[in-house]
Amino acid sequence: MAAAEVQPTVDSERQPKETLYCHNLNEKLKKEDLKKCLYAIFSQFGRILDIVSLKTYRLRGQAWITFADTNAATIALNSMNGFPFFDKPMKLEFAKTPGDAILKLRGEFDEKKKKERSKQSAVARAEHLKRSTGRPSAAGGGGGTQAGAGGREETQPPNKILFLQNLPEQTNESMLEMLFNQYAGFKEVRMVTAKPGIAFVEYDSDMQASVAMSGLQDFQVTANNKMRVTYAKQ
C-alpha cells in the first residue's frame, strides 16, 4: 500500500467505483494504525487492493480504500456509511476516479499524468470537504481487569484464551475477528455484552495465543484506547 500514490477525487454524484473515499475519521490516529483498523472492518466485504492515508495536514482524517471490484465497494458503502468509527460517524462515498491500484490492473496507469491528477484531486477535495470541529470523547473503553486480593492484578499462566481490555464501546465481534484471525489457530471471539470494553479470544493452542498476544499487544484501537491483551483466568 504505497502512501505516495495519487488519491482519487470525490464524486458528488456517487457513481459506483472500486474506490471509496472515507472522511470524518479520527485525526489523532497514526497513519499505520488507521490503515490496520480500516482493513480490519472493511475486508469482510471483499478483497482490498490498497488503502491510502497521508500524514499531511490537509489530508488528515481521510482515507481511500480500493476494492478489487465495484460490488464489494458498494456493499461496504451501504453497510458502513455513518458507522461510529472511534467516536466519530464515518462518512463514505465513491471516489470520482479509480485509485492507482485499479489503473495498474487495467494497464491504464500513466506516471506522467500523476502530478496533474494530484493537483486536480487536491482542488476537488478542498472544495468538497467540510471539516468536523467535534473532538473525540476522552472516555476510554470499559474496565475488566482481572484483579486479585487487595485490588492488585493477577498474572495468569499461558493458555489458549486471551482476555482483551480497554476496548472502545463501539467494538464488535467482526472487528476483533478481522484483527485476530490473521494469526494461525484462531477459533472465536466472545464479547461480554453486559460489560463493554472487554472480550475473549480463543485459539487452538497456548503457543498460537501467545503469538497473537505478542503481535497485537497495545494495538492502538482509537486515539484513547490501546488494547491490552493478557491470558484469561482459568
Coordinates of all heavy atoms in Angstrom, one line a residue, residues 23-27 57 60-61 87-89 91 129-136:
H23 N -14.1 9.9 5.0 CA -13.7 11.1 5.7 C -14.4 11.3 7.0 O -15.2 10.4 7.3 CB -13.8 12.4 4.8 CG -15.1 12.6 4.2 ND1 -16.0 13.6 4.6 CD2 -15.8 12.0 3.2 CE1 -17.1 13.6 3.9 NE2 -17.0 12.6 3.1
N24 N -14.1 12.3 7.7 CA -14.6 12.5 9.1 C -14.1 11.4 10.0 O -14.7 10.9 10.9 CB -16.1 12.5 9.2 CG -16.6 13.2 10.5 OD1 -16.1 14.2 10.9 ND2 -17.6 12.6 11.1
L25 N -12.8 11.0 9.7 CA -12.1 10.0 10.6 C -11.4 10.7 11.7 O -11.1 11.8 11.6 CB -11.2 9.2 9.7 CG -11.7 8.5 8.5 CD1 -10.6 7.8 7.7 CD2 -12.8 7.5 8.9
N26 N -11.1 9.9 12.7 CA -10.4 10.4 13.9 C -9.0 10.8 13.5 O -8.2 10.0 13.0 CB -10.3 9.4 15.0 CG -9.8 9.9 16.3 OD1 -8.9 10.7 16.4 ND2 -10.5 9.6 17.4
E27 N -8.7 12.1 13.6 CA -7.4 12.7 13.1 C -6.2 12.4 14.0 O -5.1 12.6 13.6 CB -7.5 14.2 12.9 CG -8.6 14.6 11.9 CD -8.6 16.1 11.7 OE1 -7.9 16.8 12.4 OE2 -9.5 16.5 10.9
Y57 N -1.3 17.8 6.7 CA -2.4 18.5 7.4 C -3.7 18.5 6.7 O -4.8 18.2 7.2 CB -2.0 19.9 7.7 CG -3.0 20.7 8.5 CD1 -3.2 20.6 9.9 CD2 -3.9 21.6 7.8 CE1 -4.1 21.2 10.6 CE2 -4.9 22.3 8.5 CZ -5.0 22.1 9.9 OH -5.9 22.8 10.6
R60 N -5.5 14.9 6.7 CA -5.8 14.2 7.9 C -7.3 13.9 8.0 O -8.1 14.6 7.6 CB -5.3 15.0 9.2 CG -3.8 15.1 9.3 CD -3.5 15.8 10.7 NE -4.2 17.1 10.8 CZ -4.1 17.8 11.9 NH1 -3.5 17.4 13.0 NH2 -4.7 19.0 11.9
G61 N -7.6 12.8 8.7 CA -9.0 12.4 8.8 C -9.6 11.8 7.6 O -10.8 11.7 7.5
D87 N -15.4 7.1 17.8 CA -16.0 8.3 18.4 C -16.6 9.3 17.3 O -17.1 10.3 17.7 CB -15.0 9.1 19.3 CG -14.5 8.3 20.4 OD1 -15.3 7.5 21.0 OD2 -13.3 8.4 20.7
K88 N -16.4 9.0 16.0 CA -17.0 9.9 15.0 C -17.7 9.1 13.9 O -17.2 8.0 13.6 CB -15.8 10.7 14.4 CG -15.0 11.6 15.3 CD -13.9 12.3 14.7 CE -14.4 13.4 13.8 NZ -13.2 14.2 13.2
P89 N -18.8 9.6 13.4 CA -19.5 8.8 12.4 C -18.7 8.9 11.0 O -18.5 10.0 10.5 CB -20.8 9.6 12.2 CG -20.6 10.9 12.7 CD -19.5 10.8 13.8
K91 N -17.9 8.9 7.2 CA -18.6 9.3 6.0 C -17.9 8.7 4.8 O -16.7 8.8 4.6 CB -18.6 10.8 5.9 CG -19.4 11.5 7.1 CD -19.4 13.0 6.9 CE -20.2 13.6 8.1 NZ -20.2 15.1 8.0
L129 N -14.7 19.0 1.0 CA -14.6 18.6 2.4 C -15.0 19.6 3.4 O -14.6 20.8 3.3 CB -13.2 18.1 2.7 CG -12.9 17.6 4.1 CD1 -13.7 16.3 4.3 CD2 -11.5 17.3 4.3
K130 N -15.9 19.3 4.3 CA -16.3 20.2 5.4 C -15.8 19.6 6.6 O -16.3 18.6 7.1 CB -17.8 20.4 5.4 CG -18.4 21.0 4.2 CD -19.9 21.2 4.4 CE -20.5 21.8 3.2 NZ -22.0 21.9 3.3
R131 N -14.7 20.1 7.1 CA -14.1 19.5 8.3 C -14.9 19.6 9.5 O -15.6 20.6 9.8 CB -12.7 20.2 8.6 CG -11.7 19.9 7.6 CD -10.3 20.4 8.0 NE -9.3 20.0 7.2 CZ -8.7 18.8 7.2 NH1 -9.1 17.9 8.2 NH2 -7.8 18.4 6.4
S132 N -14.9 18.5 10.3 CA -15.7 18.4 11.5 C -14.9 19.1 12.6 O -13.7 19.0 12.7 CB -15.9 17.0 11.9 OG -16.4 16.9 13.2
T133 N -15.6 19.9 13.5 CA -14.9 20.6 14.6 C -15.1 19.8 15.9 O -14.6 20.3 17.0 CB -15.5 22.0 14.8 OG1 -16.9 21.9 14.9 CG2 -15.2 22.8 13.5
G134 N -15.9 18.7 15.9 CA -16.1 17.9 17.1 C -14.8 17.3 17.5 O -14.0 16.8 16.7
R135 N -14.6 17.1 18.8 CA -13.5 16.5 19.4 C -13.8 15.1 19.9 O -14.9 14.9 20.4 CB -12.9 17.3 20.6 CG -12.4 18.7 20.2 CD -11.9 19.4 21.4 NE -10.7 18.7 21.9 CZ -10.1 19.1 23.0 NH1 -10.5 20.2 23.7 NH2 -9.1 18.4 23.5
P136 N -12.9 14.1 19.7 CA -13.2 12.8 20.1 C -13.4 12.7 21.7 O -12.8 13.5 22.4 CB -11.9 12.0 19.8 CG -11.3 12.8 18.7 CD -11.6 14.2 19.0

